[in-house]
PDB file of all heavy atoms in Angstrom:
ATOM      1  N   HIS A  99      -0.374  12.817 -80.967  1.00 51.00           N
ATOM      2  CA  HIS A  99       0.343  13.319 -82.131  1.00 51.00           C
ATOM      3  C   HIS A  99       1.733  12.701 -82.233  1.00 51.00           C
ATOM      4  O   HIS A  99       2.220  12.401 -83.323  1.00 51.00           O
ATOM      5  CB  HIS A  99       0.454  14.847 -82.039  1.00 51.00           C
ATOM      6  CG  HIS A  99       1.266  15.451 -83.142  1.00 51.00           C
ATOM      7  ND1 HIS A  99       0.807  15.540 -84.438  1.00 51.00           N
ATOM      8  CD2 HIS A  99       2.521  15.987 -83.148  1.00 51.00           C
ATOM      9  CE1 HIS A  99       1.729  16.109 -85.206  1.00 51.00           C
ATOM     10  NE2 HIS A  99       2.773  16.388 -84.443  1.00 51.00           N
ATOM     11  N   ARG A 100       2.355  12.482 -81.089  1.00 50.00           N
ATOM     12  CA  ARG A 100       3.731  11.976 -81.100  1.00 50.00           C
ATOM     13  C   ARG A 100       3.787  10.509 -81.504  1.00 50.00           C
ATOM     14  O   ARG A 100       4.635  10.083 -82.264  1.00 50.00           O
ATOM     15  CB  ARG A 100       4.362  12.151 -79.711  1.00 50.00           C
ATOM     16  CG  ARG A 100       5.793  11.642 -79.632  1.00 50.00           C
ATOM     17  CD  ARG A 100       6.352  11.847 -78.240  1.00 50.00           C
ATOM     18  NE  ARG A 100       6.365  13.250 -77.866  1.00 50.00           N
ATOM     19  CZ  ARG A 100       6.754  13.684 -76.665  1.00 50.00           C
ATOM     20  NH1 ARG A 100       7.145  12.820 -75.747  1.00 50.00           N
ATOM     21  NH2 ARG A 100       6.753  14.972 -76.403  1.00 50.00           N
ATOM     22  N   PHE A 101       2.880   9.700 -80.983  1.00 47.00           N
ATOM     23  CA  PHE A 101       2.951   8.261 -81.209  1.00 47.00           C
ATOM     24  C   PHE A 101       2.006   7.777 -82.310  1.00 47.00           C
ATOM     25  O   PHE A 101       1.912   6.588 -82.560  1.00 47.00           O
ATOM     26  CB  PHE A 101       2.637   7.516 -79.905  1.00 47.00           C
ATOM     27  CG  PHE A 101       3.663   7.742 -78.850  1.00 47.00           C
ATOM     28  CD1 PHE A 101       3.395   8.598 -77.789  1.00 47.00           C
ATOM     29  CD2 PHE A 101       4.904   7.151 -78.913  1.00 47.00           C
ATOM     30  CE1 PHE A 101       4.345   8.818 -76.800  1.00 47.00           C
ATOM     31  CE2 PHE A 101       5.863   7.368 -77.936  1.00 47.00           C
ATOM     32  CZ  PHE A 101       5.584   8.212 -76.889  1.00 47.00           C
ATOM     33  N   GLY A 102       1.281   8.699 -82.936  1.00 48.00           N
ATOM     34  CA  GLY A 102       0.421   8.313 -84.043  1.00 48.00           C
ATOM     35  C   GLY A 102      -0.652   7.324 -83.657  1.00 48.00           C
ATOM     36  O   GLY A 102      -0.771   6.258 -84.250  1.00 48.00           O
ATOM     37  N   SER A 103      -1.448   7.654 -82.633  1.00 51.00           N
ATOM     38  CA  SER A 103      -2.475   6.734 -82.149  1.00 51.00           C
ATOM     39  C   SER A 103      -3.741   6.756 -82.989  1.00 51.00           C
ATOM     40  O   SER A 103      -4.712   6.094 -82.647  1.00 51.00           O
ATOM     41  CB  SER A 103      -2.839   7.095 -80.697  1.00 51.00           C
ATOM     42  OG  SER A 103      -3.335   8.430 -80.622  1.00 51.00           O
ATOM     43  N   GLU A 104      -3.726   7.515 -84.112  1.00 55.00           N
ATOM     44  CA  GLU A 104      -4.940   7.586 -84.910  1.00 55.00           C
ATOM     45  C   GLU A 104      -5.334   6.219 -85.471  1.00 55.00           C
ATOM     46  O   GLU A 104      -6.504   5.898 -85.593  1.00 55.00           O
ATOM     47  CB  GLU A 104      -4.759   8.583 -86.074  1.00 55.00           C
ATOM     48  CG  GLU A 104      -4.640  10.035 -85.633  1.00 55.00           C
ATOM     49  CD  GLU A 104      -3.255  10.388 -85.138  1.00 55.00           C
ATOM     50  OE1 GLU A 104      -2.366   9.501 -85.206  1.00 55.00           O
ATOM     51  OE2 GLU A 104      -3.050  11.521 -84.679  1.00 55.00           O
ATOM     52  N   GLY A 105      -4.352   5.387 -85.829  1.00 59.00           N
ATOM     53  CA  GLY A 105      -4.654   4.090 -86.418  1.00 59.00           C
ATOM     54  C   GLY A 105      -4.538   2.930 -85.459  1.00 59.00           C
ATOM     55  O   GLY A 105      -4.402   1.784 -85.880  1.00 59.00           O
ATOM     56  N   VAL A 106      -4.585   3.214 -84.148  1.00 59.00           N
ATOM     57  CA  VAL A 106      -4.381   2.151 -83.171  1.00 59.00           C
ATOM     58  C   VAL A 106      -5.545   1.159 -83.175  1.00 59.00           C
ATOM     59  O   VAL A 106      -5.371  -0.007 -82.813  1.00 59.00           O
ATOM     60  CB  VAL A 106      -4.189   2.762 -81.762  1.00 59.00           C
ATOM     61  CG1 VAL A 106      -5.484   3.389 -81.265  1.00 59.00           C
ATOM     62  CG2 VAL A 106      -3.677   1.723 -80.783  1.00 59.00           C
ATOM     63  N   ASP A 107      -6.729   1.591 -83.587  1.00 64.00           N
ATOM     64  CA  ASP A 107      -7.893   0.706 -83.616  1.00 64.00           C
ATOM     65  C   ASP A 107      -8.184   0.178 -85.017  1.00 64.00           C
ATOM     66  O   ASP A 107      -9.267  -0.348 -85.262  1.00 64.00           O
ATOM     67  CB  ASP A 107      -9.134   1.441 -83.089  1.00 64.00           C
ATOM     68  CG  ASP A 107      -9.020   1.760 -81.611  1.00 64.00           C
ATOM     69  OD1 ASP A 107      -8.424   0.943 -80.889  1.00 64.00           O
ATOM     70  OD2 ASP A 107      -9.528   2.803 -81.181  1.00 64.00           O
ATOM     71  N   ASP A 108      -7.240   0.286 -85.917  1.00 68.00           N
ATOM     72  CA  ASP A 108      -7.422  -0.224 -87.273  1.00 68.00           C
ATOM     73  C   ASP A 108      -6.902  -1.660 -87.336  1.00 68.00           C
ATOM     74  O   ASP A 108      -5.691  -1.898 -87.318  1.00 68.00           O
ATOM     75  CB  ASP A 108      -6.671   0.674 -88.269  1.00 68.00           C
ATOM     76  CG  ASP A 108      -6.922   0.253 -89.712  1.00 68.00           C
ATOM     77  OD1 ASP A 108      -7.846  -0.558 -89.939  1.00 68.00           O
ATOM     78  OD2 ASP A 108      -6.198   0.739 -90.596  1.00 68.00           O
ATOM     79  N   PHE A 109      -7.823  -2.620 -87.406  1.00 70.00           N
ATOM     80  CA  PHE A 109      -7.449  -4.035 -87.390  1.00 70.00           C
ATOM     81  C   PHE A 109      -7.514  -4.683 -88.771  1.00 70.00           C
ATOM     82  O   PHE A 109      -7.359  -5.895 -88.893  1.00 70.00           O
ATOM     83  CB  PHE A 109      -8.366  -4.805 -86.431  1.00 70.00           C
ATOM     84  CG  PHE A 109      -8.260  -4.346 -85.006  1.00 70.00           C
ATOM     85  CD1 PHE A 109      -9.218  -3.503 -84.473  1.00 70.00           C
ATOM     86  CD2 PHE A 109      -7.202  -4.737 -84.212  1.00 70.00           C
ATOM     87  CE1 PHE A 109      -9.125  -3.072 -83.164  1.00 70.00           C
ATOM     88  CE2 PHE A 109      -7.099  -4.309 -82.896  1.00 70.00           C
ATOM     89  CZ  PHE A 109      -8.064  -3.469 -82.371  1.00 70.00           C
ATOM     90  N   GLY A 110      -7.772  -3.882 -89.787  1.00 71.00           N
ATOM     91  CA  GLY A 110      -7.811  -4.432 -91.125  1.00 71.00           C
ATOM     92  C   GLY A 110      -9.112  -5.143 -91.438  1.00 71.00           C
ATOM     93  O   GLY A 110     -10.139  -4.959 -90.762  1.00 71.00           O
TER      94      GLY A 110
END
Side-chain angles (χ1 to χ4, degrees):
H99 176 73
R100 180 180 300 177
F101 294 104
S103 60
E104 292 80 4
V106 69
D107 293 326
D108 185 13
F109 298 101

